[in-house]
Amino acid sequence: MTGLVLVLNCGSSSIKYQVVDPVAGEAVVSGLVEQIGEPGGPVPDHAAGLQRIHGDLVDSGVDLAAVRAVGHRVVHGGRRFHAPTLITDAVLAEIERLSDLAPLHNPPNVVGITVARADFPDVPHVAVFDTGFFHGLPEAAATYAIDAGVAAQYGIRRYGFHGTSHEYVSQQTAALLGREPAEVNTIVLHLGNGASASAVRGGVAVETSMGLTPLEGLVMGTRCGDLDPGVLMHLKRTAGMGVAELDELLNRRSGLRGLCGVNDFRELLEQVSTGRPEATLAYGVYVHRLRKYVGAYLAVLGRVDAIAFTAGVGENVAAVREDALSGLDGLGITVDPQRNRSGRGARIISPDGARTAVLVVPTNEELAIARAAWGFV
Ligand code: AMP
């Protein structure tokens, strides 16, 4: 073994970690510290959380001296960052400055980086940006049709998120088809608790469903996705809602949870199977939105070689894959029911010889981040 990479994903109240062998492409150990900073909880802050992770790693028997780099998932890179970046004091200050654009996400990332640099002072720390893969979106796709001066002043444009996953899955898709990424046009559907779609032409992202924030686009576990912006003004005027309340409504009390009370897809399916009308509607809204995006991205790409499903729902829920693409045989898109419902892991679920291959491709953001960080060792 040549060395290991510690991958950290710091959220506001949790830190996910993985120690990865980037050459073998395997996770050596992984875990999660939760409830950070919660009143009366066992982990008062991120420093304590990282200390705990350090202890867990020692207990796991991992050779910490073999950790040669730390890779950090950073949510918002703004216009400034796209490629994986070696973290210096100046880079960290810039990430902190971008908190304006991602007030929920970048601050915990900054705290995590600061603490981890103190904890692992002798190895390179590398930031991998969730927005990075979408940095080069065509201007026509990245631009909102609002007053150009206001947009420029406040950095209002479409940045996209989940980029590490979309990039990794689009590359894996090409590999599974035995082709070079540059030859393949792919629609990637990342359907987890957060969900996003992307259109990737020849390895380059040309469209994605998330925008300024991770709120736009598909229906998610607790986020609404696309919404008439007039709804905000209406709720402010008629219900007197303020910014904090709207933020909470659209980010935490919407999506599947807003429609039927649960955000976990397994529970949703359970409720659908018992015929609960709210759950049936929630499922219908979810799948309808997905189909709209597939249709839009077919038009954006013109020629689509592959449609790849990934993340918790995309990888595990055959019904969603089938329902999202049903009735599109005339466009060369077919899901083979047998292949869709059986088998595990990365696989093609369309019939042999179909014009558009449909695939299940497990995502692995940690491995992608580890490999990016390894590039600096
Ligand atoms: P992620 O954010 O990628 O971890 O995905 C989380 C979502 O995937 C949750 O809504 C889970 O309920 C859903 N999920 C994970 N595994 C399964 C499964 N085996 N069947 C149905 N849904 C699943």
Side-chain angles (χ1 to χ4, degrees), residues 173-180 183:
T173 297
L176 280 161
L177 298 176
R179 299 170 69 181
E180 290 299 319
E183 298 171 355

Side-chain angles (χ1 to χ4, degrees), residues 202-220:
V204 177
V206 294
E207 191 35 296
T208 192
S209 59
M210 285 177 167
L212 174 76
T213 75
L215 194 51
E216 191 180 347
L218 300 176
V219 176
M220 311 185 210

Side-chain angles (χ1 to χ4, degrees), residues 190-194 263-267 269 311-313 316-317:
H190 176 112
L191 310 177
N193 200 23
N263 63 295
D264 189 296
F265 218 87
R266 281 165 286 215
E267 288 177 49
L269 293 173
V313 175
N316 293 298
V317 187

Side-chain angles (χ1 to χ4, degrees), residues 32-57:
L32 168 72
V33 175
E34 287 178 293
Q35 297 181 320
I36 295 173
E38 290 187 6
V43 193
D45 54 25
H46 283 76
L50 211 72
Q51 215 169 40
R52 203 179 170 110
I53 288 171
H54 211 130
D56 289 352
L57 291 175

Side-chain angles (χ1 to χ4, degrees), residues 108-175:
N109 295 159
V110 169
V111 173
I113 291 170
T114 305
V115 172
R117 283 175 90 204
D119 211 23
F120 293 87
D122 301 323
V123 300
H125 287 247
V126 177
V128 179
F129 297 93
D130 229 29
T131 50
F133 186 50
F134 302 117
H135 188 265
L137 281 186
E139 283 301 299
T143 305
Y144 287 115
I146 65 168
D147 181 283
V150 171
Q153 187 175 354
Y154 295 101
I156 312 277
R157 58 184 281 123
R158 308 190 58 251
Y159 294 93
F161 299 88
H162 291 148
T164 308
S165 177
H166 285 276
E167 181 172 28
Y168 176 83
V169 169
S170 59
Q171 289 172 352
Q172 290 293 111
T173 297

Side-chain angles (χ1 to χ4, degrees), residues 44 50 52 72 149 173 198 253 255 279 281 288 291 296 327 341 351:
L50 211 72
R52 203 179 170 110
H72 296 268
T173 297
S198 70
R253 267 198 294 142
L281 176 62
H288 177 75
R291 291 175 70 86
R341 295 199 170 257

Side-chain angles (χ1 to χ4, degrees), residues 190-250:
H190 176 112
L191 310 177
N193 200 23
S196 60
S198 70
V200 183
R201 176 179 287 130
V204 177
V206 294
E207 191 35 296
T208 192
S209 59
M210 285 177 167
L212 174 76
T213 75
L215 194 51
E216 191 180 347
L218 300 176
V219 176
M220 311 185 210
T222 66
R223 292 176 232 156
C224 57
D226 292 337
L227 188 77
D228 176 354
V231 170
L232 299 177
M233 282 82 89
H234 183 74
L235 285 174
K236 179 155 172 53
R237 272 195 299 263
T238 59
M241 287 191 186
V243 172
E245 215 173 334
L246 289 169
D247 198 323
E248 205 258 341
L249 173 72
L250 302 182

